[in-house]
């Protein structure tokens, strides 16, 4: 564990190297505590975890597993991924077709979660006679049986490289209507992570609504490992342009020096 003087130096190094921005209008924003926050995790999706047929995709070279491109565990949801060639790729535009669960029913994100459960696939691609999502497998056959119809993707594009310059264990996705991008955030629930509780609001997401943080981290060793989730967490938000408080919260419970 870091000794108090070293911890103070680390915290000040994180905080003071970030550029302060003045608000365009009104009074300066103030740091504040927020409660009832859900914290989830995301990572660059490894293509090696997927087994759908290799297909071409608009905007990126080569052929890639179809479920890596369009499923709720792949690029379409995580935003970024690592291809079989070891290169980084990202989804550039998700289009407007939304998400469905495995039986083909639409599910929509909200402040309380997804209306019909976590998405299985984008609202495109193959459907069985019963309406279930299916897709061709790399080794032959179909995931849920042969399809009855096919829904063309609309305005879905991909790109090479990562979508944003993010840092594992330090970057979080936020709802910018609640937490401005560039905010410095202390999260006691994340004190055991390498970020030691301090993170930076650097990303957004269509499913990140209201009191929800999504922590960017390395992918786990296997696809069977579920991401950690923290419910009803408290966080301390320092918006861009806010004056640092005289004392800052810390992981050991003792306030540390912030501003003189």
């Amino acid at each position: 564990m870091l000794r108090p003087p070293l911890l103070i130096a680390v915290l000040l190094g994180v905080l003071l190297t970030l550029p302060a921005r003045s608000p365009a209008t009104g009074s300066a924003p103030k740091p504040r505590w927020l409660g009832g926050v859900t914290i989830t995790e995301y990572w660059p999706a490894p293509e090696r975890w997927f087994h759908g047929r290799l297909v071409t995709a608009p905007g990126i070279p080569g052929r890639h597993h179809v479920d890596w491109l369009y499923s709720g565990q792949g690029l379409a949801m995580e935003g970024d991924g690592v291809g079989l060639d070891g290169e980084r790729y990202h989804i550039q535009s998700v289009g407007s077709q939304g998400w469905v669960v495995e039986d083909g029913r639409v599910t929509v994100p909200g402040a309380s979660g997804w209306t019909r459960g976590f998405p299985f696939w984008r609202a495109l691609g193959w459907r069985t006679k019963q309406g279930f999502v299916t897709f061709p497998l790399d080794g032959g056959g179909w995931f849920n049986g042969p399809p009855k119809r096919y829904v063309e993707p609309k305005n879905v594009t991909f790109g090479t490289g990562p979508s944003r310059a993010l840092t594992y264990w330090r970057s979080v996705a936020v709802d910018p209507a609640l937490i401005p991008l560039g905010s410095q955030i202390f999260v006691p629930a994340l004190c055991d992570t390498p970020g030691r509780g301090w993170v930076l609001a650097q990303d957004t997401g269509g499913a990140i609504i209201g009191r929800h943080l999504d922590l960017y981290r390395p992918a786990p060793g296997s696809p069977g490992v579920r991401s950690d989730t923290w419910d009803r967490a408290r966080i301390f938000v320092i918006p861009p342009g806010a004056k640092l408080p005289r004392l800052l919260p810390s992981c050991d419970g003792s306030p540390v020096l912030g501003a003189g």
Side-chain angles (χ1 to χ4, degrees), residues 23-86:
T25 59
S27 59
K30 295 181 179 180
R32 59 173 176 157
W33 284 95
L34 285 176
V37 178
T38 296
I39 305 168
T40 53
E41 298 178 326
Y42 72 117
W43 50 74
E47 188 176 0
R48 58 184 169 81
W49 289 356
F50 297 83
H51 305 288
R53 183 182 299 171
L54 295 171
V55 299
T56 59
I60 57 176
R63 299 167 70 85
H64 301 275
H65 290 299
V66 67
D67 46 342
W68 180 64
L69 295 169
Y70 300 109
S71 79
Q73 303 296 327
L75 276 185
M77 175 60 73
E78 300 293 347
D80 285 48
V82 181
L84 294 176
D85 55 6

Side-chain angles (χ1 to χ4, degrees), residues 71-167:
S71 79
Q73 303 296 327
L75 276 185
M77 175 60 73
E78 300 293 347
D80 285 48
V82 181
L84 294 176
D85 55 6
E87 297 295 327
R88 290 288 296 271
Y89 298 99
H90 68 274
I91 189 159
Q92 201 164 52
S93 171
V94 297
S96 58
Q97 290 170 285
W99 291 97
V100 296
V101 293
E102 189 174 345
D103 65 9
R105 293 181 300 161
V106 172
T107 187
V108 179
S112 300
W114 294 85
T115 55
R116 288 193 172 94
F118 194 79
F120 183 77
W121 203 269
R122 295 295 297 178
L124 51 84
W126 301 269
R127 299 291 183 270
T128 66
K129 183 178 180 179
Q130 294 77 22
F132 278 67
V133 175
T134 191
F135 57 91
L137 300 173
D138 195 28
W142 293 82
F143 176 78
N144 259 331
K148 181 70 174 180
R149 61 189 179 92
Y150 179 74
V151 180
E152 287 280 352
K154 295 179 181 179
N155 303 317
V156 179
T157 58
F158 300 87
T160 57
S163 58
R164 294 175 184 253
L166 304 177
T167 303

